[in-house]
Amino acid sequence: MHFSTLTALAAFSATAAFALPAAENNADIHAPYAGPGNYILQNAATGTVLDLLNGVQGPNTRINGYKLNPGPHQIWQVSATGPNDEVTIINSATGAIASCPKVVNTPNGWFQLVGGEVPIDDYARFQKITNIDNSVQFKNLATGKCVDLAESNPANGTNVLCYDCHPGVGENQNWGFIKS
Ligand SMILES: *[C@@H]1O[C@H](CO)[C@@H](O)[C@H](O)[C@H]1NC(C)=O
């Protein structure tokens, strides 16, 4: 990257950090993925984070959007499992592995992202697609769906879904990395 571009990015980032409240950080520049390690994954649309419901190890524990605590059930180990930025997302407190369900698993017809001890097959692997603001989409290898905060709802306990992918900036499928 050219030096002046870096400078401009840094200046923009600093401005955004002071100018925008946390819940409206759509234009914010996120810290990039920095290799295998523990991260808090923050939704670009709401500022809420990926949270394993009540820290229950599973199987089939709901994964939700929740206000940043940061508790151990909000910390996820993200590491590559394949050549094309394919990653697993594993809860660091419990070892619960995030996976998309094979079939609808909520009463209202959603595919709810769940945590538990599952085989590391394509339902538990996600292609990490990096956006221009360094946030990422996690696209499930088995279903082709993306990890999505339902209806961009900032409320605690909002379902996190495997949902049809829709790229963009500041979207509810974009997740920023906070090193933990
Ligand atoms: C979410 O829960 C936290 C406590 O864990 C609380 O402080 C916060 O106000 C709640 N947020 C909303 C939007 O209800």
Side-chain angles (χ1 to χ4, degrees):
M1 189 182 286
H2 192 268
F3 176 75
S4 63
T5 312
L6 266 181
T7 309
L9 263 182
F12 175 68
S13 182
T15 307
F18 288 108
L20 296 166
E24 296 177 48
N25 58 354
N26 294 4
D28 217 344
I29 298 289
H30 303 273
Y33 177 68
N38 289 329
Y39 295 95
I40 293 162
L41 297 171
Q42 186 171 40
N43 191 265
T46 62
T48 52
V49 304
L50 203 69
D51 181 292
L52 184 70
L53 183 62
N54 297 326
V56 176
Q57 67 183 19
N60 294 319
T61 300
R62 256 175 57 175
I63 295 175
N64 292 321
Y66 206 94
K67 185 184 162 79
L68 176 61
N69 289 343
H73 50 282
Q74 297 187 343
I75 297 172
W76 302 87
Q77 186 175 75
V78 181
S79 55
T81 60
N84 299 311
D85 282 331
E86 297 144 6
V87 296
T88 49
I89 305 169
I90 300 179
N91 186 256
S92 70
T94 61
I97 301 160
S99 68
C100 288
K102 293 186 171 68
V103 295
V104 162
N105 59 350
T106 73
N108 58 352
W110 281 336
F111 292 85
Q112 162 74 52
L113 186 73
V114 291
E117 198 172 24
V118 294
I120 306 276
D121 59 13
D122 283 352
Y123 290 93
R125 297 170 70 210
F126 300 83
Q127 185 186 8
K128 179 169 58 62
I129 302 169
T130 303
N131 303 308
I132 55 170
D133 61 356
N134 286 332
S135 69
V136 305
Q137 284 177 286
F138 293 107
K139 182 176 182 178
N140 188 248
L141 295 195
T143 66
K145 294 179 187 293
C146 284
V147 174
D148 177 295
L149 183 70
E151 298 167 340
S152 301
N153 188 341
N156 291 328
T158 295
N159 302 67
V160 173
L161 310 178
C162 301
Y163 197 87
D164 292 347
C165 297
H166 51 80
V169 171
E171 293 283 345
N172 64 331
Q173 298 184 342
N174 296 356
W175 300 88
F177 290 95
I178 302 172
K179 192 86 179 164
S180 179

